[in-house]
Amino acid sequence: MSEEIPLATNELLGIAQAAGQLGVTGEENLLKFTDTVAKLGVATDLSGEEAATALTRILNVTNENIDSIDTFGSVIVALGNNFAATESEIVKVANEVARSTAVFGVSAAESAGLAAALKSVGVQAQLGGSVVGKAFLQIGAAIDGGGAQMQRLSQLTGIAGEDLKQTFETDATVVFQRFIEGIGNAGGSANFF
């Protein structure tokens, strides 16, 4: 691996050691994890054990297997290339977003996407996670409570009653995205919460 990636062998061993301490097991998983984090360290401002820890925490919070680390790493790089945010900033905010939306089944990639959007407009990590988490909770409460709030949410998202409930249960991020788009289409003046 040290012949393919321009990192010292001791740096690669440090990443592999961090992976082991974080619960990554099996030769194939350790190699894949080390390779991905090392490549991120070369191509981005994420590096070494810090990157290993941050990415593993996000995958753990979102209940995703560590073998998806390469896909998640690719998502981080793509977001860093396409948003006004560095990869380390995206990961920091994604960690907070993932923790605040874990009960809604938001994936690591979705957390990173939300994080990139938030960070590119200057939102700080803890505030971003808190605001997104609160919005998901309020959307869930409106759906569970029914009545006028659910009707207003249905209008904003363009998703009708039971479909709204089912969509939120299966893919809460879609409802959140449609909610944000609905507010945008209303000129930002929609007062839902």
Side-chain angles (χ1 to χ4, degrees):
M1 193 178 295
S2 65
E3 293 175 8
E4 297 172 11
I5 302 171
L7 286 179
T9 303
N10 64 341
E11 290 180 72
L12 294 171
L13 290 172
I15 294 169
Q17 182 180 16
Q21 291 170 345
L22 294 165
V24 178
T25 58
E27 181 181 348
E28 188 176 318
N29 285 338
L30 283 168
L31 287 173
K32 185 177 195 177
F33 186 90
T34 303
D35 182 63
T36 300
V37 173
K39 287 177 180 174
L40 284 171
V42 171
T44 71
D45 67 334
L46 292 168
S47 62
E49 295 174 38
E50 184 179 331
T53 302
L55 296 176
T56 302
R57 284 183 180 153
I58 294 168
L59 290 172
N60 284 338
V61 166
T62 58
N63 281 328
E64 294 177 57
N65 291 329
I66 204 68
D67 65 356
S68 65
I69 188 75
D70 55 343
T71 303
F72 186 44
S74 295
V75 167
I76 298 293
V77 171
L79 291 169
N81 289 338
N82 291 296
F83 281 84
T86 67
E87 290 83 357
S88 63
E89 291 172 331
I90 292 168
V91 168
K92 187 174 182 179
V93 178
N95 191 352
E96 296 297 326
V97 170
R99 289 189 313 155
S100 69
T101 59
V103 297
F104 301 104
V106 176
S107 73
E110 291 169 331
S111 295
L114 291 169
L118 290 166
K119 190 61 190 170
S120 69
V121 294
V123 176
Q124 297 303 312
Q126 286 183 319
L127 179 60
S130 176
V131 167
V132 171
K134 183 178 179 182
F136 273 77
L137 287 170
Q138 293 291 331
I139 290 169
I143 291 170
D144 290 342
Q149 277 197 322
M150 183 166 168
Q151 189 173 24
R152 179 69 178 135
L153 180 61
S154 182
Q155 289 172 342
L156 282 171
T157 61
I159 305 171
E162 281 303 311
D163 290 339
L164 180 61
K165 185 174 183 173
Q166 183 177 10
T167 302
F168 192 70
E169 288 173 359
T170 58
D171 193 350
T173 306
V174 168
V175 176
F176 178 75
Q177 180 182 357
R178 299 277 295 271
F179 172 73
I180 297 299
E181 289 170 359
I183 290 174
N185 291 338
S189 64
N191 185 10
F192 181 72
F193 299 123

